[in-house]
Amino acid sequence: MKRSGVIIVAGGQGRRCGGSIPKQFALLAGRPVLAHTIGNFAQALPGASIVVVLPAEYIGFWNNLRARFDVAPHTVTAGGNERFHSVRNGLAALPEDVGLIAVQDGVRPLGSVKLIRRLTAEAAEHGTAIPVVEAADSYRETDGGTSYPLDRRRLRIVQTPQVFDAALLREAYRTDYDPEFTDDASVVERSGHAVRLCEGERQNLKITTPEDIAIAEALFAAREENACEGLPIE
């Protein structure tokens, strides 16, 4: 397996989640959300270089906060105006010798070790690995005052971590920013490379609203209960 690098993008201000601090710093099961996310990768990919991208004005805050908890080793760099620029800053902070790069939302603390390892193995073989899950709700596309139903059988919900061959991802991010870029997969596709969709996890929740914190707390409690009962936790 090629040596891995990890970019954890936590450059947002978390306004939709409310609260006095960005959601990546909120406590979840007694630890910051971001600490959980970092720890998942440290456990899944021992020896990986982990770079956390934060708003420049919150780097000092995070350094003080993480000193109060057991957080896996990582380096920190400042984000940019858009997620695209934050990822590019993360790429510059990674060692040049990594062969695979995973890009993860800092506020996805529930992705399993098994998922991370499976996606990394897929990317090592195919060059890209994008986790997706089937749409469970009904969807409609709006156009002015009208709306149209969409066939949810053809829709997929895209998650992170998205994992790529390092040279491929670095090449893709040499392009100029486009507001149509929604994630790393869209940047890579713009450069002419196809992406490989892989099965994601329903529990791989992105914390966006206060309700998401409550759901994540319940999922963590269920994990702890399973651990106490001797059930496997991946």
Side-chain angles (χ1 to χ4, degrees), residues 35-131:
H36 288 290
T37 306
I38 295 168
N40 291 340
F41 280 88
Q43 182 181 353
L45 304 173
S49 296
I50 301 175
V51 172
V52 175
V53 186
L54 293 172
E57 63 270 30
Y58 278 100
I59 291 177
F61 176 88
W62 171 244
N63 287 335
N64 289 330
L65 180 63
R66 69 174 175 171
R68 297 164 46 196
F69 299 90
D70 182 17
V71 183
H74 61 281
T75 59
V76 177
T77 192
N81 292 333
E82 303 290 342
R83 186 183 188 280
F84 174 91
H85 303 105
S86 292
V87 174
R88 192 149 66 180
N89 289 355
L91 286 169
L94 278 177
E96 288 292 333
D97 64 345
V98 297
L100 293 171
I101 298 175
V103 186
Q104 170 75 327
D105 299 320
V107 289
R108 286 190 191 268
L110 288 157
S112 71
V113 167
K114 180 179 179 181
L115 175 67
I116 295 169
R117 289 175 176 169
R118 176 163 53 80
L119 292 171
T120 302
E122 289 278 350
E125 181 176 356
H126 302 285
T128 65
I130 314 300

Side-chain angles (χ1 to χ4, degrees), residues 1-232:
M1 181 71 69
K2 300 177 181 178
R3 183 179 176 222
S4 297
V6 181
I7 301 172
I8 297 178
V9 186
Q13 300 291 337
R15 294 183 178 89
R16 283 179 290 177
C17 204
S20 59
I21 59 173
K23 57 198 173 184
Q24 56 267 37
F25 307 129
L27 293 187
L28 174 65
R31 301 175 69 224
V33 167
L34 184 55
H36 288 290
T37 306
I38 295 168
N40 291 340
F41 280 88
Q43 182 181 353
L45 304 173
S49 296
I50 301 175
V51 172
V52 175
V53 186
L54 293 172
E57 63 270 30
Y58 278 100
I59 291 177
F61 176 88
W62 171 244
N63 287 335
N64 289 330
L65 180 63
R66 69 174 175 171
R68 297 164 46 196
F69 299 90
D70 182 17
V71 183
H74 61 281
T75 59
V76 177
T77 192
N81 292 333
E82 303 290 342
R83 186 183 188 280
F84 174 91
H85 303 105
S86 292
V87 174
R88 192 149 66 180
N89 289 355
L91 286 169
L94 278 177
E96 288 292 333
D97 64 345
V98 297
L100 293 171
I101 298 175
V103 186
Q104 170 75 327
D105 299 320
V107 289
R108 286 190 191 268
L110 288 157
S112 71
V113 167
K114 180 179 179 181
L115 175 67
I116 295 169
R117 289 175 176 169
R118 176 163 53 80
L119 292 171
T120 302
E122 289 278 350
E125 181 176 356
H126 302 285
T128 65
I130 314 300
V132 299
V133 294
E134 294 183 358
D137 298 321
S138 295
Y139 292 86
R140 298 184 71 88
E141 182 176 357
T142 59
D143 182 12
T146 61
S147 66
Y148 311 89
L150 297 177
D151 184 356
R152 70 182 180 193
R153 294 172 298 180
R154 301 178 60 188
L155 300 177
R156 295 294 182 269
I157 301 169
V158 181
Q159 302 179 327
T160 65
Q162 298 181 3
V163 190
F164 305 89
D165 174 84
L168 186 157
L169 187 64
R170 291 186 190 278
E171 174 193 347
Y173 267 91
R174 292 190 181 102
T175 191
D176 294 327
Y177 169 69
D178 188 322
E180 292 187 1
F181 291 146
T182 58
D183 60 1
D184 308 287
S186 61
V187 178
V188 168
E189 285 182 316
R190 177 68 63 85
S191 70
H193 296 278
V195 297
R196 179 179 178 82
L197 302 187
C198 304
E199 184 178 356
E201 292 177 340
R202 291 279 176 195
Q203 70 177 20
N204 187 18
L205 173 71
K206 182 178 182 181
I207 295 177
T208 305
T209 67
E211 292 79 11
D212 294 332
I213 289 281
I215 294 170
E217 288 280 6
L219 290 170
F220 266 103
R223 285 185 175 183
E224 289 296 322
E225 182 177 349
N226 287 342
C228 290
E229 293 177 356
L231 297 176

